[in-house]
Amino acid sequence: MRVVFVHGACVRDGSWWWHRTAELLQERGVLSATSALPSCGETGLPEDAAAVRQVGPGLPEDVAAVRQVLLDTDEPTVVVAHSYGGIVVSEAAEGVGSVRHLLLVSSYLPEVGQSLSEFGDGGPAPFLDVDPGTGTFGVRPELLVDTFLHDCDPEDQAQAADHLARQSVRVIGEPVKAAAWQRVPSTYLVCAQDRGTPPHLQREYARRAGDVVELDAGHHPFLSRAAAVRDLVLSL
């Protein structure tokens, strides 16, 4: 069994975001892999205005990148997707026989044709900075810790800003073409202290999942409650 981690929006270096949980899993003999998301600039493409807005990578490129990782081996796999990562995985995991379970962390289970823009409470997120000129959006650095990392170790809080990324706004409105969670067993992890995705919205999204687990944690439980996330993954 292996685990594939898919990070959320506006960050890069997935191996850093998942490192605390990945290390605990490795101690139990479970190896993991992370996938880069091209829309977050992780493929080395330029982030200037023309490149991002006109020909820059979006959801289809993210799907292709994650799908390639899933197809790297036929070893039975648990996919752990965080936040926006659930949008990507919904399509990327479709028809991949090695994927045995989807774990969605403060995330989404979109129907075919739905996009990221259809989730939320209808208002603009105050912690995001959208730049129409460059066609990108990102987390406001001054709100990063209080919104997303308030329950994390100070060391992780200090390092997290170095792993933020501007992301193409294309991903907000592009619809998914498949809904793997309809055919693959799924578990939704509700983060009850999340200040980024309100818990009441998570519980609404979680209704589509096969199972629901609730954890007293913020938006990144794989950093703040790594042992609990490890145990949940192992139980799957």
Side-chain angles (χ1 to χ4, degrees):
M1 178 66 71
R2 70 163 181 160
V3 175
V4 171
F5 293 114
V6 182
H7 67 69
C10 303
V11 302
R12 57 181 176 81
D13 307 329
S15 59
W16 182 85
W17 291 96
W18 299 102
H19 74 280
R20 293 196 179 278
T21 297
E23 289 167 1
L24 293 179
L25 284 170
Q26 187 169 359
E27 290 174 0
R28 298 293 184 88
V30 178
L31 298 181
S32 62
T34 60
S35 176
L37 297 184
S39 71
C40 291
E42 292 187 289
T43 55
L45 295 176
E47 293 190 14
D48 59 76
V52 174
R53 187 170 60 249
Q54 296 177 16
V55 297
L59 177 60
E61 289 80 10
D62 289 346
V63 167
V66 172
R67 190 172 181 83
Q68 182 58 57
V69 174
L70 297 179
L71 292 172
D72 279 346
T73 173
D74 58 2
E75 184 177 4
T77 300
V78 172
V79 182
V80 184
H82 180 231
S83 196
Y84 163 72
I87 299 286
V88 181
V89 165
S90 181
E91 185 174 338
E94 177 68 11
V96 180
S98 61
V99 175
R100 304 300 173 81
H101 207 103
L102 304 177
L103 173 59
L104 292 308
V105 182
S106 186
S107 190
Y108 315 98
L109 295 90
E111 298 277 5
V112 174
Q114 280 193 302
S115 66
L116 181 61
S117 64
E118 297 180 50
F119 294 88
D121 56 12
F127 50 79
L128 290 179
D129 167 51
V130 181
D131 185 348
T134 62
T136 64
F137 69 107
V139 174
R140 297 181 184 276
E142 69 274 16
L143 299 179
L144 172 63
V145 171
D146 188 60
T147 305
F148 296 110
L149 300 161
H150 60 93
D151 61 336
C152 291
D153 184 277
E155 180 181 354
D156 289 335
Q157 292 177 342
Q159 294 178 8
D162 294 332
H163 303 279
L164 292 179
R166 301 291 301 182
Q167 186 167 9
S168 170
V169 295
R170 281 182 53 192
V171 303
I172 296 175
E174 292 177 318
V176 300
K177 298 177 181 178
W181 56 269
Q182 295 177 340
R183 285 164 286 280
V184 179
S186 60
T187 297
Y188 193 105
L189 176 57
V190 173
C191 301
Q193 298 301 320
D194 196 335
R195 298 175 182 174
T197 305
H200 74 274
L201 290 180
Q202 294 180 57
R203 295 181 185 113
E204 180 181 326
Y205 306 153
R207 292 176 183 174
R208 292 177 174 175
D211 292 296
V212 181
V213 176
E214 192 152 325
L215 187 62
D216 190 30
H219 193 65
H220 293 86
F222 37 87
L223 288 174
S224 64
R225 299 287 305 277
V229 176
R230 172 205 60 194
D231 291 345
L232 176 56
V233 171
L234 291 175
S235 75
L236 302 178

